[in-house]
Amino acid sequence: MNLYLIFSILSSILFTQICGLSMMLPPNVKKCLKEEIHKDVLVTGDYKLSDAPGHKTLLHVGDSKGHTLYSKEDAQEGKFAFTTDDYDMFEVCFETKVSAGLRGTQREVSLDLKHGIEAKSYEDLAKAEKLKPMEVELRRLEDLSESIVNDFAYLRKREEEMRDTNESTNTRVLYFSIFSMVCLLSLATWQVFYLRRYFKSKKLIE
């Protein structure tokens, strides 16, 4: 029992994160939330908009390549979910349109966006696999450990890419510096011979 209590406290510390967002959306205005997400990551979103007669709000979820992952013409309240195919910048956009001749008002938009282990429903997993509470907590910790390892692997890869870029840039700068020095020395040598011939032609030097 004490071990289960320790796991419960540890899990509550690791997994309790506030992902909610609330904003006011004026009429005929588009607002977007953008976030970079890794490959093969589950993303879920819960949204709810306040009542506004005569208003129609378009909800669009897409990536930087123009792919539509979720779309709702007259969004009021609902959920969406998708799994990323590649590392990319994803955006969730709300755009309210008001009928002509109607005075628009602001709508309150509430969005709860989760991804990774935050988006995974361990309650449904426990029911499907008939897991005990201790086993559910262990599964959470296992997924968290895997997520941390993947993040470190991604950071290491980015570090290697940055190091390769820096080394390539340093090499190019070195070659450019050598080329510039050769050009300057060549120009200086040419100027010396040119001035020497000029002064000799004017009989200023022997």
Side-chain angles (χ1 to χ4, degrees):
M1 184 64 181
N2 291 334
L3 183 61
Y4 172 69
L5 181 60
I6 292 174
F7 272 114
S8 298
I9 296 174
L10 183 60
S11 299
S12 64
I13 294 174
L14 294 174
F15 293 95
T16 303
Q17 297 186 13
I18 300 175
C19 304
L21 172 68
S22 181
M23 61 181 176
M24 301 305 296
L25 185 64
N28 300 319
V29 172
K30 182 178 181 180
K31 287 189 176 182
C32 297
L33 172 66
K34 297 183 178 182
E35 187 172 359
E36 293 182 353
I37 304 178
H38 300 305
K39 181 181 179 181
D40 296 329
V41 175
L42 174 64
V43 181
T44 62
D46 295 345
Y47 62 91
K48 184 177 181 180
L49 288 80
S50 61
D51 294 333
H55 291 61
K56 181 177 287 188
T57 301
L58 170 65
L59 169 59
H60 179 266
V61 181
D63 56 18
S64 62
K65 300 175 184 178
H67 299 150
T68 299
L69 304 174
Y70 179 83
S71 181
K72 186 74 173 179
E73 286 291 337
D74 188 10
Q76 298 289 339
E77 182 177 1
K79 300 180 180 181
F80 61 85
F82 62 91
T83 301
T84 58
D85 294 329
D86 198 1
Y87 176 81
D88 202 351
M89 176 73 74
F90 297 88
E91 64 177 10
V92 182
C93 296
F94 292 90
E95 183 179 7
T96 295
K97 296 183 179 180
V98 182
S99 303
L102 182 65
R103 182 179 180 182
T105 59
Q106 296 191 92
R107 300 191 72 176
E108 182 179 2
V109 179
S110 298
L111 175 64
D112 187 10
L113 191 64
K114 299 179 181 179
H115 57 81
I117 59 174
E118 300 172 5
K120 194 171 182 179
S121 177
Y122 288 94
E123 291 77 9
D124 295 339
L125 181 64
K127 293 179 181 178
E129 299 185 10
K130 298 180 180 179
L131 299 177
K132 297 179 180 179
M134 175 69 73
E135 294 174 332
V136 175
E137 300 302 325
L138 288 174
R139 182 68 65 86
R140 285 182 176 178
L141 292 177
E142 181 182 355
D143 292 343
L144 177 62
S145 301
E146 183 179 357
S147 177
I148 293 174
V149 170
N150 293 336
D151 288 342
F152 273 111
Y154 171 76
L155 291 176
R156 183 176 181 179
K157 181 180 178 182
R158 288 293 299 271
E159 181 184 0
E160 292 176 353
E161 292 176 354
M162 292 295 295
R163 184 173 64 250
D164 293 341
T165 302
N166 290 335
E167 292 176 355
S168 176
T169 302
N170 292 335
T171 302
R172 293 180 181 179
V173 171
L174 176 61
Y175 288 155
F176 180 76
S177 300
I178 294 175
F179 176 75
S180 299
M181 291 180 63
V182 171
C183 291
L184 290 174
L185 290 175
S186 301
L187 180 61
T189 303
W190 176 81
Q191 286 181 337
V192 169
F193 282 106
Y194 175 80
L195 291 175
R196 184 179 179 84
R197 287 199 304 268
Y198 176 78
F199 289 144
K200 278 186 176 182
S201 65
K202 297 296 183 180
K203 297 181 180 181
L204 296 176
I205 60 173
E206 296 182 357

